[in-house]
Amino acid sequence: MDNQSNSFSDATGRYAKSIFQLASEKNILNEVENNFSQLNLLMQDSVDFKKFDVNPTIQKQARLKIIESLATKLNFNKIFINFLQLINEKGRFFFLEKIIKDFFSILSISKGEVIADLIIANEITEDKKNEIKKELSQLYKKDIKLNFSIDESLISGSILKVGSKMIDNSAKSKFNRIL
């Protein structure tokens, strides 16, 4: 946890911390986590939703109707719906992607997990992912929440970020050092 100390004092961190604390107090943390997971998947899988999130030209009333429709379709928790309505009303909906990330960081810290990001050049098997996660867990002597992403521009190799530490073993960075 030392490697990932974060006060979450910026606007997105405060929103994430608030919904986390409220969900904890109301014993609905699992529901809110699932709701955030659904939104996170939408953010990753839907270009339209991502545009909806950051588009400043969408009026608050129009955005509110979309939020309500989405909440009904995905069966969101009432407190979570109120949270989405609040950030819409405050004109902060464009922060949603960062709020989601901060929420999951807070959740991981509360579970005693270490967050790590592994950026790789090509897709790897689930077995390989589990093997990497297991090795990192043994190395850090904590549970690791490992996020994988693919960046084909790396050519080969990987970039591992754990807390404030980064290990760049990509061919791209090696070529850049040579040039």
Side-chain angles (χ1 to χ4, degrees):
M1 190 134 94
D2 297 335
N3 290 345
Q4 50 188 43
S5 61
N6 189 338
S7 66
F8 298 101
S9 61
D10 63 348
T12 60
R14 289 190 305 271
Y15 280 114
K17 194 187 293 185
S18 295
I19 187 70
F20 175 84
Q21 288 172 339
L22 183 60
S24 293
E25 289 170 10
K26 299 286 185 185
N27 271 344
I28 57 167
L29 193 54
N30 287 339
E31 287 179 64
V32 171
E33 178 184 359
N34 288 337
N35 293 162
F36 269 119
S37 293
Q38 290 172 304
L39 280 182
N40 196 34
L41 281 174
L42 266 176
M43 201 68 77
Q44 293 172 6
D45 295 343
S46 173
V47 174
D48 290 335
F49 184 76
K50 195 161 184 126
K51 286 178 184 175
F52 162 73
D53 175 44
V54 297
N55 187 341
T57 63
I58 298 175
Q59 298 296 314
K60 287 180 184 177
Q61 270 314 109
R63 190 181 304 273
L64 186 61
K65 288 180 182 175
I66 294 169
I67 291 169
E68 290 170 352
S69 173
L70 193 62
T72 301
K73 185 176 181 181
L74 297 175
N75 198 26
F76 284 161
N77 176 285
K78 179 66 177 154
I79 290 175
F80 189 73
I81 296 168
N82 290 344
F83 173 75
L84 294 177
Q85 291 170 338
L86 173 74
I87 62 174
N88 179 57
E89 181 59 35
K90 297 294 182 185
R92 301 287 191 256
F93 205 83
F94 64 94
F95 280 151
L96 184 59
E97 187 170 16
K98 178 79 168 77
I99 292 170
I100 293 169
K101 184 177 181 184
D102 286 351
F103 175 84
F104 283 116
S105 293
I106 292 167
L107 185 65
S108 290
I109 290 168
S110 77
K111 292 178 179 179
E113 298 173 332
V114 173
I115 301 168
D117 295 308
L118 183 62
I119 304 165
I120 51 181
N122 304 7
E123 186 64 47
I124 58 175
T125 66
E126 284 301 314
D127 288 341
K128 189 67 176 170
K129 288 178 182 179
N130 290 332
E131 182 182 324
I132 293 167
K133 183 177 176 181
K134 183 179 176 186
E135 287 179 26
L136 287 172
S137 292
Q138 289 172 347
L139 179 67
Y140 281 88
K141 296 177 178 54
K142 289 191 177 213
D143 286 334
I144 297 287
K145 179 163 177 27
L146 192 54
N147 301 314
F148 288 91
S149 59
I150 296 174
D151 181 352
E152 294 174 354
S153 75
L154 297 179
I155 304 167
S156 69
S158 63
I159 299 172
L160 176 65
K161 297 176 187 176
V162 181
S164 61
K165 296 179 182 163
M166 182 173 88
I167 302 167
D168 188 343
N169 192 26
S170 66
K172 179 181 178 180
S173 72
K174 289 176 184 176
F175 288 140
N176 287 338
R177 279 184 287 222
I178 293 171
L179 300 175

